[in-house]
Amino acid sequence: MLEIFSIQTTHLLAVSCPVLIWIVLVIFFFSVCLAIRDGMMRLRRLHQIPCSKCAFFTGDYRLKCTVHPSKALSEEAIDCLDYEAMGSPQTKQLQPRCLNGKCCSQKFLAFRR
């Protein structure tokens, strides 16, 4: 009787062990695929941040944006109402002209008044 029980237990382990290993592997690969998909969706969302192409973006780590410094380069900036593309007609009027490497912002501001 003991021999029959040990044979059935050995047969059960021989069949169930590979099945359990395959189930664990399938769950692992499924979770890896989900993580990759979530990462791609997050990356697409982060690529919608327009700050680097905005006229108010400074590029300085201390003051990234002159209008919304706390929102700059974050997900809150995706639908920024103050976004103004670089090179737009409004931006070109505000930029001072520089001659011979010297910036003439004083002359530019005096001329505008």
Side-chain angles (χ1 to χ4, degrees):
M1 171 97 171
L2 189 59
E3 290 178 16
I4 295 173
F5 182 71
S6 66
I7 292 174
Q8 289 176 349
T9 307
T10 308
H11 181 66
L12 182 65
L13 285 176
V15 171
S16 65
C17 229
V19 170
L20 288 175
I21 290 172
W22 277 107
I23 290 173
V24 168
L25 282 174
V26 166
I27 291 172
F28 172 75
F29 285 118
F30 182 70
S31 64
V32 167
C33 289
L34 284 178
I36 289 172
R37 191 189 75 183
D38 289 344
M40 294 295 286
M41 289 172 61
R42 175 107 171 121
L43 193 61
R44 281 190 199 117
R45 178 108 172 119
L46 290 177
H47 275 281
Q48 292 176 353
I49 298 174
C51 291
S52 61
K53 299 176 209 117
C54 182
F56 301 113
F57 184 69
T58 62
D60 187 11
Y61 71 93
R62 293 170 287 194
L63 180 66
K64 299 173 203 154
C65 177
T66 55
V67 180
H68 300 288
S70 61
K71 286 184 183 180
L73 297 175
S74 68
E75 287 188 48
E76 295 176 36
I78 289 176
D79 295 323
C80 182
L81 298 176
D82 296 315
Y83 172 75
E84 191 171 305
M86 287 184 130
S88 66
Q90 294 88 7
T91 318
K92 288 182 182 177
Q93 292 174 357
L94 298 176
Q95 292 176 349
R97 310 256 187 251
C98 296
L99 302 170
N100 300 330
K102 286 186 166 183
C103 190
C104 50
S105 59
Q106 268 44 6
K107 294 176 185 176
F108 180 77
L109 290 175
F111 179 72
R112 283 197 60 187
R113 291 182 189 163

